[in-house]
Amino acid sequence: MNILSYYNIRWNIETGYRYFKDLLGFDEYQLLSYKGIERFWCVQFLAYNYLECQRKDWEKDHPLTIGDVVRRIRKELSVNSSSTFMNRHWQTNL
């Protein structure tokens, strides 16, 4: 195995850490118990698998990263929550 193979493996690890810390906010946890650590890893596992399933569904036209999927979900949630807020506002003021 040459040095480029090691860097390729390490790149996947580093981008995974970045997604969990920066995009998903998993860097704010302080775990003191074994049970807490188990739960934290379960949540991370479920979150990553959900994002990976979404990535596979959405990547029909061009390749996507997990970061692309997170940004798309955030955008869709903000658009949906804004429209829901506006609908409620208009219904209560009629």
Side-chain angles (χ1 to χ4, degrees):
M1 196 174 226
N2 62 20
I3 192 77
L4 291 177
S5 300
Y6 286 117
Y7 278 119
N8 186 34
I9 292 168
R10 189 65 201 172
W11 178 255
N12 292 329
I13 293 168
E14 291 299 325
T15 55
Y17 281 138
R18 180 176 175 262
Y19 293 144
F20 277 111
K21 289 180 174 183
D22 295 344
L23 294 174
L24 300 175
F26 282 123
D27 62 336
E28 299 295 322
Y29 288 92
Q30 294 181 4
L31 304 167
L32 301 176
S33 70
Y34 181 75
K35 193 66 162 174
I37 293 168
E38 279 183 331
R39 290 176 180 162
F40 178 72
W41 282 103
C42 284
V43 168
Q44 279 191 323
F45 176 78
L46 292 171
Y48 187 82
N49 281 308
Y50 170 75
L51 294 171
E52 187 62 30
C53 288
Q54 283 299 125
R55 186 180 73 78
K56 292 288 185 187
D57 286 345
W58 290 343
E59 101 175 328
K60 301 201 184 341
D61 297 332
H62 60 283
L64 297 172
T65 65
I66 295 293
D68 296 332
V69 173
V70 170
R71 286 184 281 278
R72 181 173 168 178
I73 290 171
R74 284 184 179 166
K75 182 179 177 183
E76 288 180 6
L77 286 174
S78 70
V79 167
N80 288 339
S81 64
S82 297
S83 64
T84 301
F85 171 77
M86 293 302 288
N87 286 337
R88 285 185 194 153
H89 176 73
W90 287 108
Q91 289 173 356
T92 58
N93 289 327
L94 289 178

